Amino acid sequence: MNVTVADVRRVLDAAYPPELAEEWDKVGLICGDPNEPVSRVAVALDCTDAVADAALASGAQMLVVHHPLLLRGVSSVAADTPKGRILHKLIRGRVALFAAHTNADSARPGVNDRLAELLGVHPGAPLAPKPGRHLDAWVVRVPASHADAVKDAVFDAGAGSVGDYDSCAFELTGRGQFRPGDDANPFLGERGEVEHVDEQRIEFVAEPHLRAKVHAALLAAHPYEEPSFDILESQVGDLDPESALGIGRVGDLDEPMTFRDFVGRVGKRLPATEWGVRGAGDPDRMIRRVAVASGSGDSFLDTARKLGVDAFVTSDLRHHPVDEALRDGGPCIVDTAHWASEFPWCGQAADLLAGALDLETEVLDIRTDPWTVAAGASLDDDHAPTTTDIPEENR
């Protein structure tokens, strides 16, 4: 059986549920025909021109990225615009584009789990927990004569699956009542007359991302002109913080070490960039408990302080928030390149798809970190500038 873009999307949506994405995020299928076949998927962090070219050269029919190409609103995707140029290139090459962003940050296993494990940190509770995972709980009323047909239809659409079980439902028998209006075309009863009918109340669950598909199947199989149904939110999973979903992870380091050595470990284990890795705090402080937040994480500085961790690893930090966090008795802080903290996830996503579907995957080893040149002087360097070396008008 051929794998399609829709199949790849289904696996990715199950691993990184779209409902975990932040409200401002734009995740999912960006371009591509869900019915097109896929035998090879390329994975990268960003969809740049170089990445799109590499995906085409690799023979991939689908490109999976972390950062959405159309995250910020655009009014045109004309081929002579930067984003339009990339989209036209992919569409002409019949390469679908899919993004899993903050939903992959919050999922388990996800971007933050991979970062924590790479640094030797147990991926425990999240820094910013999400409400517990939920399923859609459907309640449908249907004439007893059509109960089995409705159940079969919604089960074929993916509903009724719980763990290792499928075709799961609960039924109650009751008496329904309605009166068709003058313009109605009722399956049972007469216009203007109150009708009573023996009905089955059928309850089942479904993944939220299947809502539209289940709804369509329900309408197609239900005999009523206006079927009656409810969709409720059903909490699933345990309440253990260690398994909660959300941004960031907090856990113990595999072995205590000084902050100086920990910064060295981060630098060695993350992909190399010109930006490198910087540390703020006492180099001799012992590090035992660590918080990580892939990507931009200065909004979690206060959270990390309140949790009492010894070190916080994140990216895109600014001078004043870090300075204030250190003054307030917060943890030592490690600032990495944004790309470096998230790129290791690409291998996780590629392995996920290769294990779930009959296709080939490839991680495009292209450094899309935008910083290309670095320069600096050691504090011990005789040539390091002092205030007297800086022109007075620029001090």
Side-chain angles (χ1 to χ4, degrees):
M1 180 176 179
N2 290 333
V3 176
T4 65
V5 170
D7 293 325
V8 177
R9 177 171 61 180
R10 172 180 54 78
V11 171
L12 291 170
D13 281 348
Y16 314 118
E19 62 267 24
L20 292 180
E22 300 298 310
E23 290 184 1
W24 48 264
D25 207 358
K26 302 294 185 292
V27 302
L29 190 63
I30 298 167
C31 71
D33 183 346
N35 296 316
E36 283 286 302
V38 177
S39 61
R40 187 176 184 83
V41 175
V43 185
L45 201 72
D46 303 281
C47 186
T48 62
D49 278 292
V51 167
D53 290 339
L56 288 163
S58 74
Q61 296 83 36
M62 191 164 182
L63 172 60
V64 175
V65 296
H66 184 51
H67 294 141
L69 180 64
L70 303 180
L71 180 59
R72 293 180 174 83
V74 296
S75 58
S76 170
V77 289
D80 58 354
T81 62
K83 293 181 180 180
R85 179 177 63 244
I86 293 173
L87 283 176
H88 279 73
K89 188 182 299 184
L90 293 174
I91 292 171
R92 287 169 180 154
R94 301 180 73 176
V95 177
L97 177 62
F98 183 97
H101 191 209
T102 52
N103 49 330
D105 290 331
S106 287
R108 282 187 189 269
V111 182
N112 282 284
D113 300 280
R114 184 70 188 104
L115 174 61
E117 292 166 351
L118 193 63
L119 302 182
V121 177
H122 171 69
L127 277 167
K130 289 281 188 182
R133 178 173 172 267
H134 73 274
L135 296 174
D136 283 345
W138 291 73
V139 181
V140 181
R141 272 74 60 177
V142 60
S145 60
H146 287 69
D148 287 341
V150 169
K151 284 188 293 182
D152 289 344
V154 297
F155 292 159
D156 286 344
S161 294
V162 180
D164 294 328
Y165 298 83
D166 60 26
S167 302
C168 301
F170 178 76
E171 295 181 51
L172 286 173
T173 301
R175 189 171 185 237
Q177 172 182 314
F178 54 85
R179 180 167 60 190
D182 292 340
D183 296 326
N185 183 27
F187 170 71
L188 294 171
E190 301 293 334
R191 296 186 182 95
E193 300 292 331
V194 174
E195 179 72 16
H196 296 91
V197 59
D198 291 335
E199 293 182 331
Q200 293 293 109
R201 172 187 166 112
I202 303 172
E203 301 178 11
F204 56 87
V205 296
E207 293 285 350
H209 71 270
L210 293 174
R211 184 176 295 185
K213 187 176 181 181
V214 172
H215 182 232
L218 169 63
L219 294 182
H222 203 294
Y224 285 176
E225 187 175 26
E226 299 288 349
S228 171
F229 63 90
D230 302 304
I231 305 175
L232 309 173
E233 185 176 294
S234 177
Q235 199 78 21
V236 296
D238 57 45
L239 300 179
D240 181 5
E242 291 280 310
S243 59
L245 306 177
I247 301 291
R249 295 290 181 265
V250 180
D252 292 332
L253 194 58
D254 53 7
E255 57 176 321
M257 64 182 67
T258 65
F259 182 55
R260 178 186 292 103
D261 289 339
F262 181 64
V263 173
R265 171 188 280 194
V266 176
K268 290 177 181 177
R269 295 191 177 184
L270 290 186
T273 62
E274 291 295 337
W275 176 284
V277 172
R278 332 183 261 192
D282 180 359
D284 295 319
R285 178 173 174 174
M286 292 302 297
I287 306 302
R288 296 178 175 83
R289 192 158 178 81
V290 177
V292 304
S294 60
S296 304
D298 65 2
S299 61
F300 298 117
L301 285 168
D302 188 54
T303 302
R305 179 187 62 80
K306 292 178 179 178
L307 290 172
V309 298
D310 300 308
F312 177 39
V313 182
T314 190
S315 307
D316 297 343
L317 294 175
R318 296 170 293 160
H319 173 95
H320 292 294
V322 170
D323 177 53
E324 291 169 6
L326 293 174
R327 294 188 191 191
D328 200 24
C332 293
I333 298 168
V334 181
D335 187 16
T336 77
H338 189 124
W339 173 83
S341 71
E342 295 179 331
F343 180 75
W345 165 81
C346 295
Q348 180 197 87
D351 290 344
L352 166 75
L353 291 173
L357 299 168
D358 182 19
L359 47 71
E360 296 179 351
T361 60
E362 177 184 357
V363 175
L364 300 179
D365 192 15
I366 298 175
R367 189 175 70 183
T368 53
D369 181 65
W371 308 104
T372 56
V373 178
S378 168
L379 293 177
D380 297 326
D381 192 335
D382 291 338
H383 299 290
T386 65
T387 55
T388 57
D389 298 320
I390 303 173
E392 184 174 351
E393 63 271 19
N394 293 337
R395 293 180 193 171

